[in-house]
Structures are given as C-alpha cells and as structure tokens.
Amino acid sequence: MDPRNLRIKGERLKNSLEEMAKIGGTPGGGVQRLALSDEDRRARDLFLSWLREIDLEIMIDEMGNIFGKRAGKNNNLPPVLSGSHIDSQPKGGRFDGILGVMGALEGLRVIHENRIETPRPVMIVDWTNEEGTRFSPAMLSSGVWTGKLERDWAYGRMDIQGKKFGEELERIGYRGKQPAKRWPIHAYYELHIEQGPILEKKGKIIGIPKGINGLYWYDVYVEGKANQVGPTPMEGRSDALCAAAEMILKVNKLPAKMGENMVATVGEIHNFPNSRNIIPGQVHFTVDIRSWDDDLAIRAWKDVEKDFERIAKKRGCPLRIDKTWSVPHVTFAEKLVKRAAEIAKNLGYSRHPMVSGAGHDASYVSQIAPTAMIFVPSIDGRSHVEVEDTKWEDCEAGGNVLLHCLLQSASEE
Ligand code: GLV
Ligand code: MN
Ligand code: MN
C-alpha cells in the first residue's frame, strides 16, 4: 500500500482512550491519574502491554520515561519520536496528555499492521510527571532527559505529603535502568488537545502552534502569628491568610497592569493550621506567570514581588519566596511546523496557526531536537477539568496528521 493512503483507525483510537479513561476515572467523567500514583502505574502497565502487541522494543529510563522503538531500515539513523504524558491533573480530563500517547500508538499500530518499512526508526514515549501537580515542576522527566534539570534534584521533589519522587518511582516499579540522557532525535512530534478556546471559536480542526509560551513558577510562604480568634483583638494581628489574599489579587491584576500580553494565576494555596477558630499562622501559595515575552514575564514578577514585600511589611507577615522553575518560550522547528500544516491541508482539515499557552514536554524536547506539535479543539475551551472533551472525529484528524508527520520524517534519509 502507498503509505500516503494510510489512515489511522479512529474507532481504535477512541477505544484506547476510553480504556485509559477507566484507569483513575472520576464520577464526574474525568480522570485522576497523578504522577507515580497506583493509577499511573496501572495505566503504564496497560500501555506496555499495548507496546508489546506491536513488537516494539521497550526501554524504561531512570526517570520512568517509557520508550517503545520500531526498528527502521537503518538503525544508525536517529529516530523520529512522538508521545506525550499519561499522568493527569487532580480531577483532570480524559484527553490531556493521553491523546498524544494514544495518537502515537495508533500511528505505530497502523505502520505495524501495514508492514511499512521506514528508513528511520520510529519511537513512542510516555514522559513521567508532565503535569507538575503532584511533584513540581511540570515536564520534570523530559527536563531531565534533555539535560535541562538534574536527576537527583528531581528524585528529591516532594509531594504535599512529603513523599519523594524517587521513592514513589521505585514504589510503582518504574525506576528503569537506562540513563535518562538524551540521544540524537531526528524529529519530535506531540499531538495534544488545545486546552483553550481558539480553534473552536475559529471553527478550525487542526491547530499548528509555532511554539510555547514561557512559564515562570514561584512558591510563596507567608508567615503570620497564629492565635485564638475570639480573645485576640483585630488590632495588631498578623494574619497570614489576609496578607496572602491581598497578594493573590495583585497577581490577578498583573496582566492588565503589564499590558495584557501574559497570564498570571494563583492556583494552589495551603493555609495552616486551617481551623476556623485559629488566626492563620502560615500560608503557602503558588504563582504561575506565562507569556511569549519572557522579559515581560520577568518584569511582571519583579513588579508583583515588590507589592508582596509591601503587603508583608504592612501586615507584619514575613515572606519567603522560592523561584521554583522557569522555562523561556520556545519556537518550534519551522520545517516541521510547515510540514504539519501542509499535511493537514492535504488531508482536507482546516488549520489555524497559533501559540501554545499550556506547557508541554515538547518545550524541553524542542531545545535539543527539531520539534512540532499538532493541536485539536477543546470543547468549550475547557481543560484540566473533568468535563474536558474533544470530538472523536477531531482526535482522529489529529491522529492522521501525526501519522503522516511520522511517516514523512521517518522517510528522510
Ligand atoms: C501543564 O499542563 C501546564 O500547562 O501547566
Ligand atoms: Mn498535557
Ligand atoms: Mn496538563
């Protein structure tokens, strides 16, 4: 068969996504498959069984990244790689991450059953802990694999219960032997839901991002003075939660203040001891700033940091701030971006050029290998929530674009 006529099986892709959605499925129709949880382990076990069915050579590295390799005619040539992540947000959706893994698997199934011989090897990957919700930061294991983050630092990252990444990786049995060290990659493609409203609004099926916004993460610890709420006068209190509340609103107003070319969010907050009749003694909250314009994001942080210091002083609540993580914006490989758009056009799918507002493993991978992404619409622009949804036919369209991106890149001698 002429490989140009190959198409993925939309029904099989749907079934794979539905099978995966059962693992960690929530009553609200989403999934909760936090990195290195038992649900992550079960989903990995199922993923591995599917890789074995199509005779892929399996490699698991010391960060738990899972690779499956299909040999090419010339295995000395760097492979084409594609995948995404199996982990999810708490009460997250059925498509974020897993679509890119199941899409690449479907592509490989089609290549396998049609006995297509590609000059280059084709590989699939599940990157560990993309979400950064249980263990911050996000994209932790593609970060280590690409050499941008330290393995031992990653092993020491702790969840809210004090469990370490390295120990949990061991516990679920996915601490592999292969060094988590990059090797030459000819091209990397990641299929993903858009996670925003643009494609739906424009009525387009395939989004072609030119790159990913810069991401800046901070952890803020506000120290107050805990005390009995009843007898303690309002005058002279050091209420850590009130200080944090003022700071949080400053973060929310930051994009408008800086001219809108950015977003800024406080999504996580921990109040201690969290009792209705104790004045809050300590608050920990996170700040997430994103922009294509990295200078703007950094200036925005400096600006809001000054506000934080002023509020802390006024309320008698000293501050500690950790600059947890940052990844500057990345621009994808022009050739691969054009290729994805061209393939979408030839397959008859409408297209829209855009920028990714969400972070992806493609961000780190693009720093070491030619990279592109393929987006499909998110219904109502909703994601990281249980109602996250994408039409099955759009998943299929994205899978077809991915398949042909893989085939074309794998044919380059
Ligand atoms: C990852 O999901 C992110 O964009 O934070
Ligand atoms: Mn994702
Ligand atoms: Mn996500």
Side-chain angles (χ1 to χ4, degrees):
M1 180 184 218
D2 182 344
R4 280 173 303 187
N5 297 329
L6 290 175
R7 297 291 180 273
I8 67 153
K9 293 188 173 153
E11 196 58 25
R12 187 168 57 189
L13 175 59
K14 173 177 177 244
N15 290 341
S16 308
L17 286 163
E18 284 179 335
E19 279 304 302
M20 278 290 178
K22 288 182 191 158
I23 305 177
T26 59
V31 294
Q32 176 151 324
R33 218 164 35 226
L34 299 182
L36 312 186
S37 61
D38 290 345
E39 291 76 25
D40 187 8
R41 177 181 53 71
R42 281 167 49 215
R44 285 161 176 267
D45 293 349
L46 179 60
F47 178 54
L48 283 182
S49 74
W50 287 343
L51 297 189
R52 286 192 194 102
E53 272 175 19
I54 53 168
D55 302 330
L56 298 184
E57 182 192 334
I58 292 164
M59 283 164 279
I60 302 174
D61 74 17
E62 55 194 353
M63 289 299 289
N65 295 319
I66 299 174
F67 298 91
K69 181 174 180 178
R70 184 173 192 276
K73 280 185 215 156
N74 181 352
N75 292 306
N76 295 321
L77 291 175
V80 176
L81 180 66
S82 182
S84 192
H85 58 98
I86 279 179
D87 70 320
S88 86
Q89 289 285 326
K91 291 198 175 180
R94 295 171 298 147
F95 295 88
D96 178 359
I98 197 69
L99 173 64
V101 184
M102 295 300 102
L105 174 68
E106 178 55 33
L108 277 159
R109 281 172 168 163
V110 171
I111 293 172
H112 175 78
E113 67 202 3
N114 287 280
R115 298 196 171 84
I116 304 292
E117 282 204 314
T118 54
R120 290 174 183 275
V122 181
M123 293 185 78
I124 184 171
V125 59
D126 161 39
W127 301 109
T128 302
N129 189 49
E130 189 274 351
E131 293 290 3
T133 178
R134 181 175 178 204
F135 301 100
S136 80
M139 297 132 58
L140 186 67
S141 305
S142 54
V144 172
W145 185 82
T146 52
K148 306 292 172 190
L149 300 174
E150 289 283 323
R151 183 198 67 177
D152 290 340
W153 176 79
Y155 280 171
R157 303 302 292 166
M158 266 191 275
D159 72 4
I160 202 74
Q161 280 151 6
K163 290 189 177 149
K164 288 196 175 139
F165 178 94
E167 288 162 13
E168 284 294 278
L169 185 59
E170 190 87 51
R171 183 187 71 79
I172 68 160
Y174 274 91
R175 182 167 166 167
K177 295 216 173 359
Q178 293 262 337
K181 278 206 174 77
R182 69 188 208 216
W183 60 82
I185 294 293
H186 181 62
Y188 175 73
Y189 294 100
E190 188 167 343
L191 168 65
H192 208 281
I193 50 168
E194 178 203 342
Q195 308 187 268
I198 296 169
L199 290 175
E200 190 177 67
K201 257 194 206 143
K202 301 266 177 198
K204 306 286 184 185
I205 296 173
I206 300 291
I208 309 283
K210 69 168 181 179
I212 303 181
N213 280 344
L215 272 84
Y216 294 81
W217 280 13
Y218 306 89
D219 281 81
V220 182
Y221 300 85
V222 187
E223 207 57 47
K225 198 164 149 197
N227 210 343
Q228 208 329 346
V229 298
T232 312
M234 296 307 288
E235 187 74 28
R237 288 187 179 193
S238 295
D239 183 325
L241 188 56
C242 287
E246 271 195 64
M247 293 175 196
I248 290 165
L249 288 177
K250 291 287 179 197
V251 174
N252 182 248
K253 292 195 178 107
L254 202 49
K257 186 174 176 186
M258 303 302 290
E260 291 296 352
N261 235 337
M262 52 173 289
V263 289
T265 312
V266 174
E268 188 178 339
I269 179 164
H270 305 276
N271 175 49
F272 302 98
N274 210 28
S275 164
R276 70 175 71 206
N277 42 8
I278 304 178
I279 297 166
Q282 197 198 51
V283 170
H284 164 209
F285 67 92
T286 60
V287 179
D288 175 312
I289 299 177
R290 303 186 186 205
S291 178
W292 185 261
D293 182 343
D294 295 287
D295 288 342
L296 178 73
I298 292 163
R299 271 191 280 119
W301 168 254
K302 285 193 178 138
D303 190 272
V304 84
E305 197 181 22
K306 278 198 203 109
D307 281 332
F308 284 7
E309 279 158 10
R310 191 181 40 74
I311 295 163
K313 199 159 169 215
K314 181 183 77 179
R315 289 193 171 265
C317 294
L319 275 180
R320 180 168 72 78
I321 293 170
D322 288 345
K323 294 187 173 174
T324 309
W325 180 60
S326 63
V327 189
H329 87 267
V330 295
T331 306
F332 292 150
E334 209 181 315
K335 179 174 157 186
L336 301 199
V337 171
K338 275 198 187 140
R339 170 172 293 160
E342 192 66 24
I343 288 171
K345 185 175 167 206
N346 292 341
L347 290 170
Y349 303 132
S350 55
R351 304 149 311 281
H352 187 66
M354 56 196 308
V355 161
S356 175
H360 302 288
D361 295 299
S363 184
Y364 277 130
V365 181
S366 74
Q367 296 179 43
I368 63 116
T371 292
M373 290 190 77
I374 299 150
F375 281 177
V376 288
S378 292
I379 294 174
D380 267 341
R382 304 276 315 270
S383 173
H384 280 188
V385 287
E386 290 170 293
V387 297
E388 174 182 287
D389 205 358
T390 291
K391 288 185 197 154
W392 295 118
E393 67 252 39
D394 292 347
C395 294
E396 181 176 350
N400 275 323
V401 176
L402 177 63
L403 169 68
H404 287 280
C405 286
L406 297 178
L407 286 170
Q408 282 195 19
S409 284
S411 307
E412 287 170 333
E413 307 269 354

